[in-house]
Amino acid sequence: MDSKVDAFLESSDKWQEELKQLRRIILDCMLTEELKWGVPCYTYHTKNIVVIGGLKESCVLSFFKGALLIDDRGILTKPGDNTQVVRIIRFTSVQEIKELEPTLKSYIYEAIEVEKAGVKIKPGKDKGFKIAKEFQKRLDKNPALKEAFIVLTPGRQRAYNLYFSQAKQSKTCEARIDKCIRKILDGKGLNE
């Protein structure tokens, strides 16, 4: 047990008991505990297996390679529409966690076996993306911006484009682009 995780759990305003229950189950599976990215992370020989955390309406057990697990119970879900590999299980009570304990342990052990086997995940084929028209206009007018965008990693390009194209109004899209130009020119990703 990591004292930083103890402090994290004690400072949790919501889902404290649920997170402690998940922690107990995970530690029973002999994983190493540490605080990464500000949340409890559990590893097998330094390879990330699961993290736990609290959200507004639930707490979650998140599997790094969840898409590779056999989900007999149908309890693994994608955390977002654009997620390819990570899968989560949401909880809203300690009772739910207790009822699923044997299943959770079997999923965790399966995740460990996936890691032991060295299974690598090939990112899904990027179907390409259509650049938001407002951003395309900016790229056409600004060769330095276009060059900076082209040299970004595909993931960074995709993140920016999703952010821009999800705006419902053109003026919102323009405002988002204005806010991000400096980051793009500096070679940084959307959340860096």
Side-chain angles (χ1 to χ4, degrees):
M1 291 172 58
D2 186 318
S3 61
K4 291 178 186 173
V5 174
D6 290 332
F8 171 87
L9 293 174
E10 291 306 318
S11 69
S12 296
D13 293 338
K14 204 170 183 185
W15 311 115
Q16 191 176 78
E17 293 307 312
E18 290 81 0
L19 292 172
K20 285 180 180 178
Q21 188 70 24
L22 287 170
R23 178 191 201 193
R24 182 192 59 75
I25 291 168
I26 296 165
L27 289 175
D28 282 353
C29 297
M30 307 306 292
L31 293 176
T32 302
E33 176 180 72
E34 58 188 296
L35 201 63
K36 286 186 177 180
W37 312 289
V39 295
C41 180
Y42 300 87
T43 62
Y44 175 80
H45 295 288
T46 72
K47 300 292 185 184
N48 298 326
I49 304 295
V50 295
V51 295
I52 59 173
L55 303 173
K56 197 181 292 185
E57 297 173 4
S58 63
C59 67
V60 296
L61 172 63
S62 179
F63 291 86
F64 282 90
K65 293 184 178 178
L68 298 176
L69 303 179
I70 299 167
D71 186 19
D72 294 334
R73 299 282 304 264
I75 57 176
L76 294 173
T77 60
K78 286 178 148 187
D81 293 337
N82 299 305
T83 304
Q84 292 188 19
V85 182
V86 173
R87 296 293 183 269
I88 63 172
I89 305 172
R90 296 179 188 273
F91 301 97
T92 56
S93 72
V94 171
Q95 186 60 35
E96 281 180 288
I97 296 167
K98 286 181 178 179
E99 288 171 7
L100 278 175
E101 183 170 342
T103 301
L104 296 177
K105 284 184 176 182
S106 72
Y107 280 35
I108 292 166
Y109 286 127
E110 183 182 353
I112 292 168
E113 291 304 315
V114 164
E115 201 55 57
K116 280 182 184 177
V119 177
K120 301 287 183 200
I121 297 175
K122 293 181 182 176
K125 287 279 186 200
D126 191 352
K127 299 169 189 153
F129 53 82
K130 187 173 180 181
I131 293 178
K133 66 182 179 196
E134 295 86 352
F135 188 50
Q136 186 62 56
K137 286 179 188 175
R138 295 283 185 96
L139 294 175
D140 292 341
K141 290 180 182 176
N142 186 337
L145 179 62
K146 185 173 187 173
E147 180 62 30
F149 186 71
I150 289 170
V151 299
L152 290 175
T153 63
R156 286 179 175 151
Q157 290 177 4
R158 189 168 188 262
Y160 278 117
N161 195 61
L162 284 170
Y163 179 60
F164 299 151
S165 64
Q166 288 174 344
K168 291 185 172 87
Q169 296 181 11
S170 185
K171 69 179 183 179
T172 304
C173 181
E174 292 283 349
R176 289 180 178 185
I177 293 166
D178 289 339
K179 187 173 110 179
C180 294
I181 286 177
R182 176 77 328 216
K183 285 176 149 184
I184 294 170
L185 290 170
D186 291 341
K188 294 182 179 177
L190 180 63
N191 298 313
E192 292 180 61

